[in-house]
Amino acid sequence: VNLLTQWQPRFLLAWNGSGQLVGAVPLYLKMHSDGEFCDENDWIEAARSLSIDHWPRLFVGIPFTPHVGRRLIAAAWLGEAKRKAVEGLLLKALVELSEQAQLSINVAFSTKEEGERFDRAGFVKRLAWQAWWSNRQPHGYANLDDFLSNLKGKKARTIEKQRNEVESVKGLQLDVIDGAAGDGALLTAELMSEVYHCCYESTQMRHSNLDMEEALDLNEDFFQMLAERFRDHLLLVLARKDGRLVAGSLSFRNGKFICGRYWGVPLNAE
């Protein structure tokens, strides 16, 4: 996230009379939609048909992170009444900034409560789909067989068939490396470099218009940094064939929650 990649931080900040920071909006000025995980094709076409420039525009959210969270952020130490007041001022300032600059705003993955406030402020609501899986409550599934026994027969058979196909591949080894479960020592910078090339770089090259000369949003140094500073939250599922990494996925773990993000296979995979 920097000027070279056309992510220009323009954070909207609120201060009280004592000079204390009491509120903020994660705001960026952008010339593209990359890293937002919002389908904008219809909006782009509508702007083109009306001879309106879709970019530049303002983006409110967390770069490369399609995760719900607060976007009108008030200091945690404020009382409820003052917190609501700060959030209201941030929203008002955001609208005024948009009007003065004559720029549109995309607010991504705000909380339900904030979504209602944006709706009342005149923002146009749009739906986004995400895949979520929740464990059984109050008692989670004991194992995979327990989970499959609670599915409809066709779905259970499909999963079993897929697992059997994987198990039938000769020389294939599956490894689960969970930094939160004590596997942190295995999450080395060298392994994360391997994951970068297998899971991230290859997928980006396969599904984008980039060529090998262009820089990707995330680089190998970033993946190595995850091993150094974030290993307790990393969860890798890796497939190796005859010792060579042939597929993998990278997720992030926080307590009982797992957020899946990157997966892929090498470009030369069959």
Side-chain angles (χ1 to χ4, degrees):
V1 176
N2 54 50
L3 296 180
L4 295 178
T5 58
Q6 300 182 47
W7 282 83
Q8 301 184 32
R10 293 291 186 270
F11 284 15
L12 184 60
L13 306 177
W15 309 81
N16 65 13
S18 301
Q20 294 175 300
L21 181 65
V22 294
V25 174
L27 181 66
Y28 299 85
L29 177 64
K30 299 192 62 193
M31 292 295 295
H32 55 73
S33 300
D34 294 347
E36 299 178 17
F37 301 97
C38 299
D39 186 1
E40 291 203 307
N41 291 334
D42 291 342
W43 294 89
I44 295 172
E45 288 300 321
R48 183 180 293 115
S49 66
L50 296 172
S51 299
I52 298 174
D53 292 330
H54 186 69
W55 297 289
R57 62 154 175 71
L58 301 171
F59 171 74
V60 177
I62 309 303
F64 312 106
T65 309
H67 188 67
V68 172
R70 301 200 65 82
R71 301 298 178 247
L72 304 172
I73 305 171
W77 49 266
L78 292 174
E80 183 176 357
K82 289 186 177 180
R83 179 175 60 82
K84 292 292 185 182
V86 169
E87 292 171 353
L89 288 173
L90 290 172
L91 178 54
K92 180 181 179 182
L94 189 62
V95 172
E96 291 179 353
L97 176 62
S98 172
E99 293 174 344
Q100 292 175 7
Q102 296 186 338
L103 296 174
S104 62
I105 305 174
N106 176 29
V107 181
F109 304 104
S110 63
T111 63
K112 181 179 180 181
E113 176 190 356
E114 286 182 325
E116 294 172 352
R117 297 188 69 169
F118 284 119
D119 191 30
R120 292 194 297 269
F123 285 71
V124 178
K125 184 184 297 184
R126 61 180 179 182
L127 298 178
W129 293 94
Q130 289 185 316
W132 286 74
W133 182 86
S134 298
N135 205 345
R136 183 174 57 190
Q137 298 296 331
H139 304 293
Y141 297 105
N143 48 43
L144 179 63
D145 291 335
D146 186 17
F147 169 66
L148 293 178
S149 68
N150 285 268
L151 292 179
K152 292 183 178 180
K154 183 177 180 180
K155 293 183 178 180
R157 288 192 297 273
T158 298
I159 293 176
E160 290 176 336
K161 179 181 178 181
Q162 292 171 342
R163 288 175 59 83
N164 290 335
E165 289 175 349
V166 171
E167 292 177 355
S168 68
V169 178
K170 293 183 179 180
L172 188 67
Q173 176 185 342
L174 296 179
D175 295 315
V176 177
I177 304 176
D178 187 350
D183 295 338
L186 300 176
L187 293 163
T188 63
E190 291 75 18
L191 176 61
M192 293 306 295
S193 290
E194 197 176 8
V195 171
Y196 167 81
H197 292 292
C198 172
C199 300
Y200 177 73
E201 182 184 48
S202 59
T203 300
Q204 294 295 307
M205 300 304 301
R206 186 178 286 111
H207 298 288
S208 71
N209 295 320
L210 295 173
D211 57 43
M212 294 301 292
E213 300 298 323
E214 296 182 82
L216 301 176
D217 292 323
L218 304 178
N219 57 32
E220 188 173 350
D221 289 342
F222 173 80
F223 276 70
Q224 292 178 344
M225 182 193 69
L226 290 177
E228 297 169 1
R229 305 182 187 178
F230 212 64
R231 63 179 59 186
D232 291 343
H233 298 280
L234 297 181
L235 175 62
L236 298 180
V237 179
L238 306 177
R240 294 184 181 276
K241 191 172 188 299
D242 300 324
R244 183 173 65 89
L245 189 62
V246 295
S249 68
L250 165 64
S251 300
F252 300 91
R253 178 171 174 173
N254 184 16
K256 296 182 178 180
F257 296 93
I258 297 175
C259 297
R261 183 59 196 92
Y262 293 112
W263 58 269
V265 298
L267 282 174
N268 59 354
E270 297 180 359

